[in-house]
Amino acid sequence: MKKNSSKKNKSRNNNKKNVKNINKSSSKNKNTKVKKTTTVKQNNKQSNTKNSNAKTTTKKKASNTNSKSKTNAMVVVSKPVITTKNTNKKTFSPSYKNLINIPFKKRKFGLYEFFAIIIICLVLTVVLLYAILKLSNKEKYQVFSFNAKVMAMNAINYNSSDKGTMYLSEMLDLNLISPIKNPFNGKECDIYESKVDFAEDIKRVTLKCGEYLIDNEKINNKTYTIYKVSDWTENKEYENNDTEVVYNITKKGKLLLNDYYQKDLLIKMINEKLNKDYKKISEVKKDYKLVSKKLYRKKTKFREVTN
C-alpha cells in the first residue's frame, strides 16, 4: 500500500512538473509569437517606408523626367522662334509706320538702321554745309561790291576835276586806300585794270579781282552787276564777247615796257618807268614808236548784288 501511495505521489509530482513545463513552453511560445508579430510589424513598417520612399523617388524621377521633357519641349519650341527671328531680320523691310507702332523699349536697331542713321546724318551735314557756303559766298559778293564803291568814293574825294581816269595803282601810291584783297581767294585785286573814270557828272567804277569783274558801273547805282571773265588772249575765239586795244612803245625795234597797257595808263607807266612827264599820247609819239595789239576774253554775266 505504501508503495502504491508513493507511486501515486510520484506520478502527481510528475504531472505537476509536466504542467509547469507546458505552461513555460506556452509562455515561451507566446513571447516568441509577440516578438514575431512585433518584428513582422516593424518589417512591415520598414517595407512601407521603403515603398513610400521608393514612391517619392519615383515621383521625383517622374517629375524630373517630366520637367526635362518639358524643357526639351520648350527648347524644341524655342528653336523655330529663334529661326523666325533670324528670318525676320533677313527679310525685314523697315517702315516708319511699323516703328511707331512698336514700343520704344522693345525696338531693336540693327546694322541696317545704323547705316540708315549714318546716311541721314551725312545728308543733313551736306545740306548744312551747302547752306553755310551759300551764305558765305553771298557775303563775299557783297564785300566785292562794297570794295568797288569804297574805291570810287576815295577817288572822287581826291580828284576835284571832272575829267580823267584814276587807277587803283595811283591810289595805292598816294596812300588813298589800302590794298584791296580778293574776297574769293585772298589775293590782291588787279591794280591796272581797276579804275575810276570821271566824265563830267557821270562817274564809273571798274574793279577786277581774279575772275570776277565789276565793269564800268555807275557809282550811284543801287545794284552792281558782277561778271565772270577769262584772261586776255590774242585768240579771236571771244571776238564778239569782250575786246580791248592795248599799247606799248618801242625804240630801235625794242619794247621799252614790260607789258601792254591802255592808252591812259600807258602815259602814266612811261612817266613812271622812264622818268618822263608826258601829258598826251601825241607827245609820246614824237619820241617813240607806238605799237598796239587787240586782245579778247570771255565775259559772262554772273549775278547782281545790292549795295
Side-chain angles (χ1 to χ4, degrees):
M1 287 296 288
K2 287 180 182 180
K3 287 180 182 179
N4 291 324
S5 60
S6 62
K7 283 180 184 180
K8 285 180 183 181
N9 288 326
K10 284 180 184 181
S11 63
R12 285 178 183 172
N13 289 326
N14 290 322
N15 290 325
K16 285 180 181 179
K17 285 180 183 180
N18 291 323
V19 169
K20 285 180 182 179
N21 291 322
I22 289 164
N23 290 326
K24 284 180 183 180
S25 63
S26 63
S27 64
K28 283 181 182 180
N29 290 324
K30 284 180 183 178
N31 290 325
T32 53
K33 281 181 182 179
V34 170
K35 284 181 182 180
K36 283 181 181 179
T37 52
T38 52
T39 52
V40 168
K41 286 180 180 178
Q42 287 177 356
N43 290 324
N44 289 326
K45 283 181 181 180
Q46 288 178 356
S47 63
N48 289 324
T49 53
K50 284 181 182 181
N51 290 323
S52 63
N53 290 324
K55 285 180 182 179
T56 53
T57 53
T58 52
K59 284 181 181 179
K60 285 181 181 179
K61 285 181 182 180
S63 62
N64 289 325
T65 52
N66 289 325
S67 63
K68 284 182 181 179
S69 63
K70 284 181 182 179
T71 53
N72 290 324
M74 289 297 289
V75 170
V76 171
V77 172
S78 62
K79 281 182 181 178
V81 171
I82 292 166
T83 53
T84 52
K85 283 184 181 177
N86 290 327
T87 53
N88 285 329
K89 283 184 180 179
K90 287 180 182 178
T91 59
F92 182 66
S93 57
S95 64
Y96 293 104
K97 291 181 180 179
N98 292 329
L99 286 172
I100 291 165
N101 294 326
I102 298 168
F104 183 77
K105 290 181 180 179
K106 292 183 179 180
R107 292 179 191 175
K108 294 182 180 179
F109 293 95
L111 287 173
Y112 184 85
E113 290 81 2
F114 179 71
F115 285 117
I117 290 165
I118 289 172
I119 291 165
I120 290 165
C121 292
L122 288 173
V123 170
L124 289 173
T125 51
V126 168
V127 170
L128 287 172
L129 285 172
Y130 177 76
I132 291 164
L133 289 172
K134 195 174 181 181
L135 287 171
S136 64
N137 286 331
K138 189 178 180 181
E139 290 178 357
K140 287 176 183 178
Y141 300 135
Q142 289 177 342
V143 168
F144 182 53
S145 176
F146 178 76
N147 287 338
K149 197 154 196 173
V150 168
M151 184 183 75
M153 296 305 294
N154 284 323
I156 290 167
N157 291 333
Y158 177 78
N159 191 2
S160 58
S161 65
D162 291 333
K163 292 181 182 180
T165 301
M166 194 168 194
Y167 289 86
L168 180 57
S169 60
E170 293 180 80
M171 296 181 205
L172 293 171
D173 292 337
L174 295 169
N175 292 321
L176 297 177
I177 193 171
S178 58
I180 299 175
K181 298 285 185 180
N182 186 345
F184 304 100
N185 59 15
K187 295 181 180 179
E188 290 187 3
C189 296
D190 193 328
I191 60 174
Y192 298 120
E193 194 169 347
S194 302
K195 61 184 179 178
V196 179
D197 291 320
F198 300 92
E200 296 180 356
D201 294 336
I202 300 171
K203 297 173 179 65
R204 298 177 180 273
V205 62
T206 300
L207 179 63
K208 183 178 181 294
C209 298
E211 63 178 351
Y212 297 96
L213 173 71
I214 293 172
D215 189 25
N216 208 26
E217 194 75 46
K218 287 182 181 180
I219 294 169
N220 295 325
N221 285 349
K222 292 183 178 179
T223 59
Y224 283 1
T225 303
I226 298 175
Y227 298 90
K228 271 191 172 183
V229 294
S230 62
D231 293 330
W232 290 109
T233 178
E234 295 182 48
N235 190 355
K236 293 184 179 181
E237 182 182 357
Y238 307 116
E239 185 176 6
N240 296 325
N241 202 334
D242 195 15
T243 60
E244 185 178 49
V245 179
V246 290
Y247 301 89
N248 201 335
I249 55 173
T250 61
K251 195 170 186 176
K252 295 179 181 180
K254 184 179 179 181
L255 289 173
L256 299 180
L257 300 176
N258 294 329
D259 204 351
Y260 286 76
Y261 302 94
Q262 297 172 0
K263 268 189 180 181
D264 294 336
L265 186 58
L266 178 67
I267 295 169
K268 293 174 182 178
M269 295 304 296
I270 291 170
N271 291 335
E272 183 182 338
K273 300 290 183 183
L274 303 176
N275 295 320
K276 302 291 182 177
D277 192 16
Y278 296 116
K279 302 294 181 182
K280 296 179 182 179
I281 197 72
S282 59
E283 295 175 359
V284 175
K285 287 180 180 179
K286 290 177 183 179
D287 298 329
Y288 304 100
K289 184 180 179 180
L290 197 68
V291 292
S292 65
K293 63 181 179 180
K294 199 170 186 179
L295 301 176
Y296 311 92
R297 70 179 175 187
K298 184 180 179 182
K299 180 183 175 183
T300 55
K301 186 178 178 180
F302 181 61
R303 66 184 300 161
E304 291 185 354
V305 179
T306 56
N307 294 316

